[in-house]
Amino acid sequence: MDPYSVFDTRRNDGYIAYAGMLSTLAITAFSHKVLVNRKVGLLAENSMRANLGLGLALAATGSPMLTRLSTELKLSKTAVGQVAIQAGIFSDMVATSLICLGNLIFHDDSMLSYSEQRYHPFYVALIVVQIIILMTASKWVLRKINDRNPEGKPMKGIYMIGLMTAVLSICFLDKQLHMDINLANFMIGLALPREGRVSRLLINNINFFLNSVILPVYLVNICLSNTKSKFHLSTQVDTLINVPLSWPKLFISIAIGTIGKIFGTVISARLYSMKWLDGIALGQLLSTKGYFHIFCAYEAWNHLMINDSTFVALLYMMFVTLAITPLVGYGIAAWARRKAMSRLMGLQFHMSEEELRLMVGLHGPQNLPIMLTLVEAVRWNKEPGKVTLYTTDMIELTEHAAVTLIKGDGQEGIEVMDEEVLEMRNHIGGALNMFQQKSNDEVNVRRLLAISSFDDMDRDICMCADDVKAVLIILPFHKSQRIDGSMNTGHAGFKLVNEKVLQHAPCSVGIMVDRGLCHTNQGSYSLVGKNVVIVFIGGGDDREALTLATQMCQHPAIKLTVIRFLPDVEALVRESPRSHKFSNFTQTFVSKEDVQMQLDNEFFADFYNQHIANREVGYVEKHVMNGAELAMELRELESQYELFVVGKGRDRKSILTDGLEEWAECPELGPIGDIVASSDFSTTASALIIQQYDAKKHYKVIDEEFMPFR
């Protein structure tokens, strides 16, 4: 939990959490007469602290339970699941903090002597001062400990013992100041910084012992506690586990908690343009309860604010909400899958008002500058928060790396403790944090990990892209640039990965050839004065590249030019020895070429009217006779542009590229992609080769003639 996130006014999930809490508190207040009813009411004490405590308990969300269920059900990859996790953390943190504050203000006078009651305001002030000092000093202390215990090295036990001793001492000090020791633990944990190795190590080690031993024993201890009510019908009812369930109380507690959450969440979700069903599902997810609610009920029962039957009803309420959450989760996941299956995952098919999700593969930190430069260009056309970047570290699973694998925490399934890998991932993480700060958090950055053999790495990448519903995967080219500007022979493993991803990807794919774009100023992803050219010949891949130009053309620092190559028909007719060959070639491909030409002309006409006519984008039209002349024209352009964006041309049958495949060094890039990626093309011009998602594969047809949209 990050307490400073409460003051971040740009986060919609915070407002959704607050709306759900306020509506639940309001319904609790309106139901006051029912809650204090002697037969079906939940409260045995009609006081301010009892009413506020019950309202906050029902308004809070069991965020650990919700996060775990969302991760297991893969809801964390959906838009509703992501908002639910963040809003659940907000709700849990705010509600628990308010209960801690209420514990200080509405203290039990019967447990304090007269002198202690007089000095109680002084005790409260001391606790507040202690928390403020702890929030300031703990950052410096933990930073020193982290510096002396780098990643990959064993943590020195003396630091862990000293830290635990200090935390326990502060907790018992708060106990002496008459604050509940459990709530003191929460406040101290909230004050400690969550970044760094020490915090992560404490969480990983404590969570396992807490979930496996402490919490189950705590629950058993509660159930075996002796009853306090004297109104049971049977004398055999001596422990809480034997208390009969009061169905009216169970119904009332579920109704107030669920209706309150759903009502406030739906209203706030509609204000942020979420659909009704999404808002209802989000409210149901946020009504999930957890161990914290058992603790609140147990403390209220100990202080006689509720009776035995109410406590049992609240206990059952937690189990009911946990049982409903997976059903709602399955419904959200099924709806998301149906929605994804009903549309194609590519830039051309992406709705401009929806969130743009890009997935970037990284071999190492050297791939970051050009990838982040591209993201910076694309996000300019989007509203803040409407672009999400998923960075995937592509790591080969060697025997040495396999030994260092450990179970991860939260959404990270596994972690690699190898020193070299840790250093690389920390470097990448630092650069991504800097990029997110420079973009003013307008780009959401998520980290993924694909660690496997090169034979299976494509499956991990494709599964991750499918889970996050990415519209474009961008992978680095398997070759890198030498100091003299030429390209090396490359890595055969990454070449295999690229080939398989191009074949099996669930969305569009781009291969990035980096020749030093933005490497002149390390740490900066400025696009000032960059000249970008889109090469358009025809076909779905070129239309996808032109769609990327639509996303980039709004950036004020980019000089974007579209060059359209067309066949020089008059020159071909004049070439009498080859005219017969040209005629046979055109007859062979006339049917498919007519369809593609019609789609190309319609798409290009729309692009021309929107961006070229108003001079947002430059336009050049060139007529060539054959592939050799096309290659010559491209080589003449290499010194004029820093970035070439071309389509792979998988479904393109054109006389302009006829014969180029026979000489291709990297046929997986297509004829034009192979030219701009070759070592002898340029030493300064980077290239992005794009392949559009195959619609025939999506609809499982063998020919475009059977496509549903035709």
Side-chain angles (χ1 to χ4, degrees):
M1 295 182 179
D2 181 14
Y4 300 102
S5 60
V6 176
F7 307 103
D8 190 353
T9 59
R10 297 170 298 175
R11 303 192 60 167
N12 299 343
D13 41 31
Y15 292 112
I16 292 175
Y18 301 148
M21 293 181 64
L22 289 175
S23 61
T24 306
L25 289 171
I27 292 179
T28 304
F30 291 144
S31 307
H32 173 70
K33 289 186 178 181
V34 177
L35 294 176
V36 297
N37 185 279
R38 294 190 62 182
K39 292 183 178 180
V40 297
L42 300 179
L43 296 176
E45 175 185 304
N46 188 8
S47 63
M48 179 68 73
R49 68 167 185 170
N51 284 275
L52 287 177
L54 178 63
L56 286 173
L58 295 176
T61 301
S63 62
M65 289 291 185
L66 178 59
T67 302
R68 185 170 181 177
L69 286 173
S70 299
T71 304
E72 293 292 334
L73 298 174
K74 294 188 176 180
L75 295 182
S76 56
K77 307 300 183 182
T78 64
V80 176
Q82 291 176 359
V83 175
I85 291 175
Q86 295 300 325
I89 294 175
F90 267 99
S91 176
D92 199 0
M93 178 173 61
V94 173
T96 310
S97 301
L98 291 176
I99 287 178
C100 292
L101 183 62
N103 178 260
L104 294 176
I105 298 175
F106 300 103
H107 58 278
D108 194 348
D109 292 341
S110 61
M111 300 180 65
L112 301 178
S113 63
Y114 176 74
S115 60
E116 289 175 336
Q117 293 181 28
R118 288 181 55 192
Y119 289 107
H120 189 265
F122 177 70
Y123 295 153
V124 174
L126 281 179
I127 292 175
V128 173
V129 171
Q130 168 201 293
I131 295 297
I132 295 175
I133 295 175
L134 186 61
M135 294 181 70
T136 305
S138 62
K139 292 184 178 181
W140 182 83
V141 173
L142 291 184
R143 189 184 304 115
K144 291 294 184 181
I145 297 177
N146 287 326
D147 292 341
R148 298 187 180 185
N149 296 271
E151 297 281 1
K153 299 288 183 64
M155 175 70 74
K156 296 179 180 178
I158 185 64
Y159 292 107
M160 298 299 294
I161 294 174
L163 184 63
M164 292 299 295
T165 303
V167 170
L168 290 173
S169 301
I170 296 173
C171 288
F172 284 109
L173 174 62
D174 290 342
K175 178 66 174 177
Q176 297 302 314
L177 297 175
H178 305 288
M179 182 180 182
D180 187 276
I181 192 169
N182 297 288
L183 297 178
N185 288 333
F186 173 79
M187 297 300 293
I188 292 171
L190 203 62
L192 293 175
R194 60 187 185 132
E195 298 83 7
R197 186 187 180 194
V198 174
S199 299
R200 187 169 63 253
L201 192 63
L202 281 175
I203 292 172
N204 290 339
N205 291 339
I206 292 176
N207 269 354
F208 176 78
F209 186 69
L210 186 70
N211 294 322
S212 302
V213 181
I214 299 298
L215 290 178
V217 171
Y218 177 71
L219 184 59
V220 171
N221 174 66
I222 288 176
C223 293
L224 296 179
S225 299
N226 293 326
T227 58
K228 295 186 178 183
S229 177
K230 301 179 181 179
F231 302 102
H232 296 302
L233 298 179
S234 175
T235 57
Q236 300 298 324
V237 180
D238 56 349
T239 58
L240 286 175
I241 197 172
N242 295 323
V243 174
L245 174 63
S246 174
W247 290 99
K249 292 184 177 182
L250 175 63
F251 175 78
I252 292 172
S253 60
I254 294 177
I256 294 176
T258 304
I259 295 175
K261 279 288 186 183
I262 293 178
F263 181 75
T265 302
V266 168
I267 293 177
S268 59
R270 289 297 296 169
L271 294 177
Y272 293 110
S273 303
M274 292 182 67
K275 297 181 179 179
W276 287 101
L277 288 177
D278 290 347
I280 295 173
L282 183 58
Q284 182 61 60
L285 290 175
L286 291 178
S287 64
T288 303
K289 309 304 179 186
Y291 280 108
F292 174 70
H293 298 82
I294 299 178
F295 165 76
C296 291
Y298 186 61
E299 291 300 309
W301 175 75
N302 269 331
H303 291 83
L304 303 179
M305 288 185 284
I306 62 175
N307 56 29
D308 300 338
S309 60
T310 300
F311 175 79
V312 173
L314 294 177
L315 192 64
Y316 274 90
M317 179 197 66
M318 187 201 77
F319 294 123
V320 171
T321 58
L322 287 178
I324 294 175
T325 301
L327 300 178
V328 177
Y330 281 124
I332 296 173
W335 178 82
R337 282 194 293 269
R338 286 196 301 268
K339 184 179 178 182
M341 287 298 294
S342 64
R343 65 177 183 178
L344 302 175
M345 302 303 291
L347 292 172
Q348 184 180 345
F349 317 108
H350 177 71
M351 305 298 292
S352 58
E353 66 275 6
E354 294 182 351
E355 180 186 16
L356 179 64
R357 299 185 179 187
L358 305 174
M359 182 173 168
V360 171
L362 301 173
H363 301 166
Q366 71 275 7
N367 303 133
L368 274 174
I370 192 168
M371 296 293 190
L372 297 182
T373 299
L374 182 63
V375 175
E376 172 68 19
V378 170
R379 67 103 176 171
W380 202 267
N381 193 35
K382 289 287 186 179
E383 298 178 4
K386 284 290 187 178
V387 177
T388 301
L389 172 65
Y390 294 90
T391 61
T392 306
D393 301 331
M394 303 167 61
I395 301 173
E396 182 186 8
L397 183 61
T398 61
E399 292 184 2
H400 180 68
V403 175
T404 62
L405 294 179
I406 63 172
K407 184 180 183 299
D409 184 53
Q411 299 182 24
E412 189 86 7
I414 58 173
E415 293 183 3
V416 190
M417 302 308 296
D418 180 75
E419 290 188 28
E420 184 177 351
V421 175
L422 281 173
E423 183 179 358
M424 181 195 75
R425 298 202 73 197
N426 289 337
H427 191 171
I428 292 174
L432 291 174
N433 291 336
M434 186 181 301
F435 169 74
Q436 196 168 14
Q437 292 174 3
K438 289 184 177 180
S439 66
N440 296 321
D441 292 331
E442 293 183 2
V443 179
N444 304 315
V445 180
R446 305 283 186 267
R447 300 286 305 276
L448 299 174
L449 177 64
I451 175 167
S452 58
S453 64
F454 288 122
D455 291 333
D456 299 325
M457 190 176 293
D458 63 293
R459 298 180 185 176
D460 291 347
I461 294 174
C462 292
M463 288 175 61
C464 289
D466 191 31
D467 286 342
V468 303
K469 306 304 175 190
V471 298
L472 178 65
I473 302 173
I474 306 176
L475 300 177
F477 191 42
H478 68 279
K479 295 182 181 181
S480 57
Q481 195 175 30
R482 297 191 181 98
I483 298 178
D484 60 358
S486 62
M487 306 295 288
N488 59 20
T489 57
H491 196 294
F494 287 123
K495 176 180 172 64
L496 177 64
V497 173
N498 290 355
E499 291 174 351
K500 288 188 174 183
V501 171
L502 286 167
Q503 184 177 0
H504 302 292
C507 59
S508 298
V509 182
I511 303 296
M512 179 64 76
V513 182
D514 187 8
R515 292 192 178 96
L517 184 68
C518 291
H519 283 195
T520 55
N521 186 12
Q522 293 185 0
S524 174
Y525 309 112
S526 174
L527 292 165
V528 176
K530 299 299 180 184
N531 295 299
V532 181
V533 61
I534 311 294
V535 178
F536 188 87
I537 299 174
D541 296 342
D542 283 17
R543 292 194 294 272
E544 190 79 354
L546 202 61
T547 307
L548 181 62
T550 305
Q551 303 283 347
M552 300 172 62
C553 66
Q554 300 295 327
H555 200 290
I558 293 180
K559 299 178 181 178
L560 189 63
T561 304
V562 175
I563 299 180
R564 186 175 188 183
F565 287 95
L566 295 170
D568 192 347
V569 180
E570 295 181 359
L572 287 168
V573 172
R574 289 195 301 268
E575 292 286 336
S576 56
R578 302 181 61 186
S579 61
H580 181 67
K581 179 181 178 181
F582 172 68
S583 177
N584 292 337
F585 185 87
T586 55
Q587 290 177 4
T588 303
F589 301 107
V590 65
S591 60
K592 292 185 178 181
E593 277 296 299
D594 286 345
V595 174
Q596 289 294 336
M597 183 65 73
Q598 182 180 358
L599 294 174
D600 292 340
N601 290 336
E602 293 175 356
F603 188 81
F604 198 87
D606 292 339
F607 180 83
Y608 188 97
N609 294 330
Q610 294 179 16
H611 305 290
I612 298 178
N614 58 10
R615 298 185 179 182
E616 282 185 359
V617 179
Y619 176 60
V620 178
E621 192 172 287
K622 291 181 177 290
H623 293 78
V624 295
M625 293 174 53
N626 49 39
E629 193 170 324
L630 174 63
M632 188 180 302
E633 290 285 348
L634 289 174
R635 295 184 188 280
E636 291 179 358
L637 298 171
E638 58 92 7
S639 61
Q640 303 177 29
Y641 301 98
E642 283 81 21
L643 178 63
F644 281 75
V645 182
V646 303
K648 176 182 175 180
R650 173 188 46 188
D651 58 348
R652 179 177 59 214
K653 297 295 183 181
S654 173
I655 192 173
L656 303 184
T657 58
D658 183 33
L660 293 179
E661 296 91 342
E662 300 175 3
W663 305 97
E665 182 181 356
C666 299
E668 73 274 8
L669 302 181
I672 306 302
D674 181 73
I675 292 174
V676 297
S678 61
S679 298
D680 57 349
F681 176 71
S682 173
T683 59
T684 57
S686 300
L688 176 62
I689 300 93
I690 293 182
Q691 172 187 282
Q692 189 180 55
Y693 179 51
D694 190 359
K696 297 189 295 295
K697 182 173 65 175
H698 178 84
Y699 290 108
K700 298 180 181 179
V701 297
I702 59 175
D703 195 87
E704 293 179 357
E705 184 178 351
F706 303 100
M707 298 288 283
F709 50 78
R710 289 200 60 201

